[in-house]
Amino acid sequence: MKVTRALIGYLSRSVHSKTKPEVILRNIKTKPKAQSVLHALLIAMPKEQVHIPHLKSQRTQKKEVASKFPAGYINLEVLGNGAKGAPASLYVFTDQTRYLFNCGEGTQRLAHEHRMKLAKLEHVFITNSSWKNLGGVPGVALTIQDIGVPIITIHGPPGLENLFEGTRRFVILKDLQIRVADCVNDSQGYYEDHVMRINYVTLVKKGTNENGVSSEPEPEPEPESLKEKEEDKIDYYAPIKGSKRNLEVTQVTKKLKGELEKDQFGRKIEKQADTVICYICRPKKKPGALLIEKCMDYGVPAGPLLGKLKRGEDVTLPNGTIVKAADVRSPDAPCTVFLVVDCPTEEYLDSFITNEELLKFHGDVPVDDIVHVIIHFTPKEMLKSSKYIEWMEKFRISTQHILLNNISEGMGSEAVHRVQYKLNLLDPYMFPLLKDSYGIDHNKKRTEFVSNTQLQITQGVTQYRYKLRPEIGVDNSIEVKFNPMDFVKEAMDIPDFELALNNLKRQFSQLTTSDVEYPKIIFLGTGSCIPNKTRNTSGILLQISESKCIILDCGEGTYGQLVRFFGPIHVDEILIKLSGIFVSHLHADHHLGLINLLQQREDSFKKQNIPFHPVFLISPHQIQSWLHLYDRNFEKLIHLYDLVGTTSLIIENSKLDPSFEKKFYEELNVKKIETVEVRHCPNAYGISIKGISGWKITYSGDTMPCDYLTTLGKDSDLLIHEATMEDELKDEALVKMHSTTSEAIEIGKKMNAKFIMLTHFSQRYSKVPKINGELDKNVGIAFDNMLLRLSDLWKVPMMYPILKTMFAESYDEMETKTAKKLRRKEREKMGKIE
């Protein structure tokens, strides 16, 4: 078997590689002939990330020191406010550790933008097992793993371990240990550390017993047609990372019924209880500080007596004087209790309002039991219940009620608006202003939806902070102010920008225009791997016609991007028109937004009172393993889609039944859809879509340069191709099985595509990707929230020079990083030679 010296040389230059080229060669020779040389090389490469053990060691040392002292400050900070398209999540900050309550899609993106560091996060508390509370957990887990967090504990209703069981093929947590606490059967009934005690309060649905087990008959078993033919055992990162996640369940959930049911693979599974968990959070008291000046006034000598006074003990001086600790110490920090509650539906209301653990805090209570703040994840529909309001009114009038739910407005991101306002200067049609409101006016954010009450109610806003220690009260100092004209001024103040803008407008005026409105392409996510504040993970909306559209890939937060683009009202109209969803492959950044998209689409039909019909899900059939597991253990999903396997649409080898094929194309309103397998992970596909009027659009998904894709996309009007890396990082692109910008452009030329749009950029290119030389006249760069018609494409390459001017600081920083990386690789190469 032949292996190029270039590839072996690359491996031998890796600074972390301990595998000799000769050994790699020997391993390759033992592989089956069908195994590609490239795949064998990638398997043989070292996979360890050497920085993580060092970070873990540093973290452990700091934690050991910090655990000896009580928390000096405690703040409750709103991360996501629960507005339409936004997560509802509360981040509890202390100088010792961090706690996160609920973690919906988009949580890690907001944390990144607002610099809510996740490095000290150790515990996530979930109120109910719905995707709106769980959808961001996999992404947050990946993020904290990369910054050296060794262990994360998930608290919540039974069965949360199934989330990690379901995602283990595409969410690789090699260096992060997951623990799942049993909040229902835990004999203690609480979690406790040196900062606070958090008691679990279990709510059960009406019609269930004390363990939450329903008395209703068991649902009908899944029809045979809905069952997978085989369990998905593929590790989708094996060629790249070759790792498995480390899952540890701290306590085994007790049986809630006698016999355990078997799933379609013959495995025993437990029916999960219909439970909701609320939390009573009681921070530990912090002793007052010793006041040395007062000690001197009382004549206390230096030595052990000061230590006793600091510990709160009264002392007797040699002259017989008694000095009380209370006289020479500042007051102890009080025990500032706060509650986190959730009553998701009417079925839980009776359990909620009669719960004895929560009732203890009503009326006159001891000082240490006064509830200062209640965080309500309860939806607005339940908050209107008179029973719920009465429950709220039984707390002290000074208790603050903070709502993190669907009554909130504004999705919490300033960065996406900042970029869009600047891009809008270039072309208002191509970069329309976003239609979600950023936030709520400070004078209006205290909601008036509850009438005739004196309750202290605050509607959640991202970065709203309530301080519990050292002082108590609201801190508005960090709330981001949304000033659009400042964004415009930032761009216009750039030297030579206005002149360049005028020149660009002049070039646009010389182009011929077309009145052909469709198809339209809206880029919802143009980044790779994880979202950053300006580029979300993969997602493209293809509007076929006025009444039909298809989504190509749907990374985490895709639904939120739709809300931003169309607004919280009109997004329902788009979801009703959504007839197809294409998932190119099963890496997390390409399909973690699917569940939310399916659920929100169903909800849109209900709101519009339109009979529901499932969407066509065009995907590798292995996705069923994940979706069926979620359906069994969390929320019903399988009625929301009809699966069309990507293998059934292979070019010139369609396996669709003729009667189904007719229905399929009529519903999508297209002439033809074809797929090919591309060079990335197992079961990765590219797709081409031909419109009834003759246009053809090809989308690569993730891939290295691929001849099959060239054949599929022949004579396309538009090729949308991933361009993860710049040309100087070709070796890195090879290792990660992606394309460079030049490779993507070359594929477009080979297939004779009329235009090439580059997307799926590494997050190192947060604004403008680096491209050598000038862009060809038929090559463009995609941005999030970019709207294109085929007739608009020729404007896009004209923008590249002014984009580099507009984002010059980011572009220069990126070039500097690349240069450093290349110099480091060169030094490593020279060191190996020596």
Side-chain angles (χ1 to χ4, degrees):
M1 183 179 289
K2 249 182 158 182
V3 181
T4 64
R5 290 186 178 181
L7 284 173
I8 292 297
Y10 169 72
L11 288 178
S12 66
R13 291 195 301 268
S14 175
V15 68
H16 302 312
S17 179
K18 297 179 181 178
T19 309
K20 296 180 179 180
E22 294 83 359
V23 176
I24 296 174
L25 273 171
R26 203 160 51 243
N27 290 340
I28 291 171
K29 290 177 181 177
T30 64
K31 298 291 178 182
K33 291 181 179 180
Q35 184 71 277
S36 70
V37 175
L38 174 63
H39 189 265
L41 282 168
L42 292 170
I43 291 291
M45 286 183 63
K47 278 84 178 183
E48 67 272 9
Q49 299 185 55
V50 295
H51 73 286
I52 290 180
H54 177 65
L55 290 174
K56 286 184 176 180
S57 175
Q58 284 186 322
R59 178 187 176 86
T60 301
Q61 292 173 14
K62 290 180 180 178
K63 185 177 178 181
E64 287 176 357
V65 173
S67 63
K68 298 176 182 178
F69 307 98
Y73 68 84
I74 302 174
N75 297 326
L76 312 184
E77 194 160 321
V78 174
L79 183 49
N81 64 1
K84 193 168 186 176
S89 50
L90 176 76
Y91 206 27
V92 179
F93 277 74
T94 78
D95 51 344
Q96 310 280 340
T97 187
R98 310 280 192 269
Y99 312 87
L100 180 64
F101 289 84
N102 284 338
C103 184
E105 274 189 47
T107 297
Q108 65 164 324
R109 192 179 188 194
L110 285 173
H112 172 70
E113 175 177 347
H114 298 298
R115 299 183 180 181
M116 297 186 186
K117 295 181 179 179
L118 300 175
K120 291 185 179 181
L121 178 62
E122 297 181 323
H123 297 272
V124 178
F125 297 83
I126 303 297
T127 57
N128 73 77
S129 300
S130 62
W131 189 256
K132 72 173 185 176
N133 293 333
L134 293 172
V137 171
V140 166
L142 287 170
T143 298
I144 63 176
Q145 171 182 245
D146 289 343
I147 54 179
V149 176
I151 301 172
I152 187 77
T153 302
I154 313 295
H155 307 253
L160 291 179
E161 64 272 12
N162 290 308
L163 178 70
F164 297 95
E165 174 64 24
T167 59
R168 65 191 175 94
R169 301 293 177 194
F170 50 85
V171 177
I172 304 301
L173 302 177
K174 176 186 177 183
D175 298 298
L176 177 68
Q177 188 178 75
I178 303 291
R179 292 180 177 173
V180 180
D182 186 346
C183 299
V184 173
N185 299 296
D186 186 344
S187 58
Q188 282 191 148
Y190 61 84
Y191 163 75
E192 186 172 22
D193 58 23
H194 63 286
V195 175
M196 69 174 77
R197 174 186 283 195
I198 300 176
N199 287 75
Y200 310 134
V201 178
T202 302
L203 307 182
V204 295
K205 189 185 282 189
K206 186 185 293 185
T208 60
N209 64 23
E210 62 181 5
N211 287 322
V213 177
S214 175
S215 59
E216 297 176 1
E218 290 293 325
E220 291 293 322
E222 290 180 2
E224 288 296 323
S225 60
L226 292 177
K227 295 182 179 181
E228 307 102 301
K229 294 181 180 178
E230 58 183 31
E231 183 182 2
D232 182 17
K233 297 182 179 180
I234 298 168
D235 187 341
Y236 289 95
Y237 283 94
I240 302 172
K241 294 183 178 178
S243 55
K244 300 287 190 297
R245 65 97 178 79
N246 180 8
L247 176 63
E248 175 189 336
V249 182
T250 55
Q251 293 184 342
V252 178
T253 306
K254 297 177 181 177
K255 289 184 183 181
L256 300 178
K257 288 198 167 184
E259 283 299 311
L260 296 182
E261 182 186 6
K262 291 184 178 181
D263 69 7
Q264 63 264 42
F265 309 127
R267 301 173 305 192
K268 292 183 177 181
I269 59 172
E270 295 179 357
K271 281 290 181 183
Q272 300 304 332
D274 290 320
T275 54
V276 170
I277 307 294
C278 299
Y279 300 96
I280 300 170
C281 307
R282 194 184 294 271
K284 301 286 181 70
K285 286 186 177 183
K286 183 178 185 297
L290 188 65
L291 305 175
I292 297 299
E293 290 186 359
K294 288 195 173 184
C295 290
M296 294 174 63
D297 292 341
Y298 279 95
V300 180
L305 292 182
L306 289 176
K308 288 185 177 183
L309 289 169
K310 186 177 181 180
R311 292 192 297 270
E313 302 174 21
D314 297 341
V315 299
T316 302
L317 301 182
N319 62 7
T321 303
I322 297 175
V323 179
K324 294 184 177 181
D327 294 334
V328 294
R329 291 197 327 168
S330 61
D332 293 347
C335 178
T336 46
V337 177
F338 67 97
L339 308 182
V340 177
V341 301
D342 189 358
C343 182
T345 67
E346 187 82 28
E347 296 170 296
Y348 292 93
L349 185 58
D350 287 345
S351 178
F352 177 70
I353 63 176
T354 60
N355 185 277
E356 293 182 1
E357 292 300 310
L358 297 175
L359 291 176
K360 291 177 182 177
F361 298 97
H362 282 166
D364 293 327
V365 296
V367 173
D368 285 347
D369 286 339
I370 294 174
V371 175
H372 293 262
V373 188
I374 303 177
I375 308 297
H376 298 263
F377 285 101
T378 301
K380 67 179 180 181
E381 295 78 14
M382 291 304 303
L383 280 167
K384 294 177 181 178
S385 163
S386 58
K387 291 182 179 179
Y388 196 97
I389 298 300
E390 288 173 10
W391 180 88
M392 294 171 68
E393 290 177 331
K394 290 177 181 177
F395 290 90
R396 293 168 63 96
I397 193 66
S398 60
T399 299
Q400 299 291 315
H401 299 268
I402 301 175
L403 311 184
L404 303 183
N405 59 13
N406 51 346
I407 201 170
S408 301
E409 299 176 20
M411 295 176 63
S413 174
E414 180 227 34
V416 293
H417 288 276
R418 180 184 296 273
V419 169
Q420 197 73 2
Y421 266 92
K422 292 177 180 180
L423 294 173
N424 178 262
L425 296 171
L426 309 186
D427 190 305
Y429 179 85
M430 194 180 296
F431 300 105
L433 297 180
L434 304 178
K435 297 180 177 63
D436 73 301
S437 56
Y438 167 72
I440 302 167
D441 185 276
H442 289 275
N443 297 321
K444 297 180 180 179
K445 73 181 179 185
R446 280 153 185 80
T447 182
E448 298 296 329
F449 85 97
V450 181
S451 58
N452 302 319
T453 182
Q454 295 181 325
L455 292 170
Q456 303 295 313
I457 297 177
T458 298
Q459 189 173 326
V461 180
T462 294
Q463 289 202 291
Y464 174 90
R465 176 185 286 175
Y466 193 91
K467 302 172 75 172
L468 292 177
R469 185 180 294 174
E471 61 271 0
I472 300 175
V474 177
D475 176 9
N476 290 326
S477 63
I478 64 169
E479 288 185 30
V480 179
K481 308 300 187 293
F482 185 57
N483 300 310
M485 290 306 102
D486 288 348
F487 308 155
V488 174
K489 186 175 183 300
E490 286 174 12
M492 299 305 293
D493 286 346
I494 296 171
D496 301 324
F497 176 79
E498 190 169 2
L499 177 62
L501 181 61
N502 291 333
N503 289 337
L504 181 68
K505 300 285 188 183
R506 189 159 41 250
Q507 292 179 62
F508 286 172
S509 67
Q510 296 170 2
L511 295 173
T512 56
T513 58
S514 170
D515 59 357
V516 178
E517 195 70 11
Y518 294 96
K520 293 179 180 178
I521 304 98
I522 300 171
F523 288 93
L524 303 172
T526 57
S528 68
C529 193
I530 61 172
N532 68 21
K533 56 186 181 181
T534 54
R535 290 190 186 272
N536 199 50
T537 49
S538 294
I540 301 168
L541 178 69
L542 177 59
Q543 291 185 289
I544 306 293
S545 64
E546 176 65 31
S547 60
K548 299 292 180 181
C549 59
I550 297 173
I551 279 182
L552 307 176
D553 278 332
C554 47
E556 179 183 341
T558 294
Y559 173 68
Q561 292 290 87
L562 286 170
V563 174
R564 284 194 178 96
F565 194 91
F566 293 101
I569 296 175
H570 295 296
V571 70
D572 291 328
E573 300 169 11
I574 295 299
L575 291 182
I576 289 171
K577 296 174 184 178
L578 182 62
S579 52
I581 301 172
F582 170 68
V583 174
S584 63
H585 63 290
L586 300 188
H587 280 169
D589 58 325
H590 289 258
H591 74 89
L592 267 186
L594 176 61
I595 290 176
N596 196 24
L597 205 58
L598 293 173
Q599 292 177 335
Q600 295 297 337
R601 181 177 179 271
E602 180 186 37
D603 193 51
S604 296
F605 277 87
K606 290 178 181 177
K607 289 177 183 175
Q608 301 293 327
N609 198 26
I610 297 173
F612 176 79
H613 62 86
V615 68
F616 288 116
L617 175 58
I618 306 166
S619 168
H621 73 269
Q622 290 84 1
I623 200 170
Q624 288 278 65
S625 182
W626 156 236
L627 294 179
H628 278 217
L629 183 145
Y630 188 88
D631 178 273
R632 290 193 306 273
N633 292 285
F634 297 99
E635 301 168 282
K636 292 302 177 184
L637 280 182
I638 56 178
H639 67 288
L640 302 180
Y641 65 90
D642 287 333
L643 182 70
V644 180
T646 42
T647 54
S648 64
L649 296 168
I650 293 293
I651 183 171
E652 298 179 356
N653 190 29
S654 174
K655 297 178 182 177
L656 295 180
D657 178 84
S659 60
F660 176 80
E661 185 176 42
K662 184 174 183 294
K663 173 189 173 184
F664 178 65
Y665 287 128
E666 283 180 354
E667 179 63 27
L668 294 177
N669 195 26
V670 298
K671 183 178 180 180
K672 192 75 171 176
I673 292 180
E674 293 180 309
T675 62
V676 292
E677 195 162 4
V678 294
R679 300 173 65 197
H680 189 53
C681 66
N683 305 313
Y685 292 84
I687 188 172
S688 77
I689 302 172
K690 296 178 183 178
I692 293 172
S693 60
W695 52 262
K696 179 178 179 180
I697 294 175
T698 299
Y699 171 55
S700 69
D702 283 7
T703 182
M704 302 165 65
C706 178
D707 291 337
Y708 290 143
L709 185 70
T710 303
T711 302
L712 176 74
K714 184 174 173 56
D715 298 326
S716 292
D717 292 279
L718 172 63
L719 167 65
I720 303 172
H721 200 290
E722 71 118 294
T724 309
M725 299 288 179
E726 62 191 271
D727 292 345
E728 285 81 358
L729 301 179
K730 185 175 180 178
D731 285 347
E732 191 170 333
L734 177 67
V735 171
K736 296 182 178 179
M737 306 184 80
H738 287 296
S739 296
T740 66
T741 52
S742 290
E743 288 173 336
I745 293 169
E746 184 61 28
I747 290 295
K749 290 178 179 178
K750 284 183 178 180
M751 70 170 58
N752 195 34
K754 292 178 183 175
F755 201 92
I756 306 160
M757 282 296 294
L758 305 178
T759 188
H760 195 267
F761 303 111
S762 166
Q763 296 296 4
R764 62 188 286 113
Y765 317 115
S766 60
K767 304 286 175 50
V768 183
K770 184 176 182 294
I771 295 177
N772 293 334
E774 294 299 317
L775 277 179
D776 292 344
K777 292 183 179 180
N778 68 334
V779 179
I781 295 167
F783 282 85
D784 282 20
N785 304 304
M786 184 184 201
L787 167 63
L788 291 171
R789 297 167 297 193
L790 294 180
S791 59
D792 297 324
L793 292 171
W794 310 102
K795 292 182 179 181
V796 182
M798 297 179 183
M799 296 179 178
Y800 189 60
I802 196 171
L803 287 170
K804 288 197 292 185
T805 300
M806 180 185 289
F807 302 118
E809 185 177 342
S810 174
Y811 191 84
D812 292 344
E813 180 183 350
M814 176 185 61
E815 286 196 313
T816 301
K817 286 182 179 179
T818 300
K820 287 181 178 178
K821 195 167 191 174
L822 292 173
R823 286 197 297 270
R824 185 175 67 249
K825 285 188 175 183
E826 190 62 30
R827 288 195 300 270
E828 292 166 4
K829 176 182 177 181
M830 296 304 296
K832 291 288 182 181
I833 293 173
E834 292 173 4

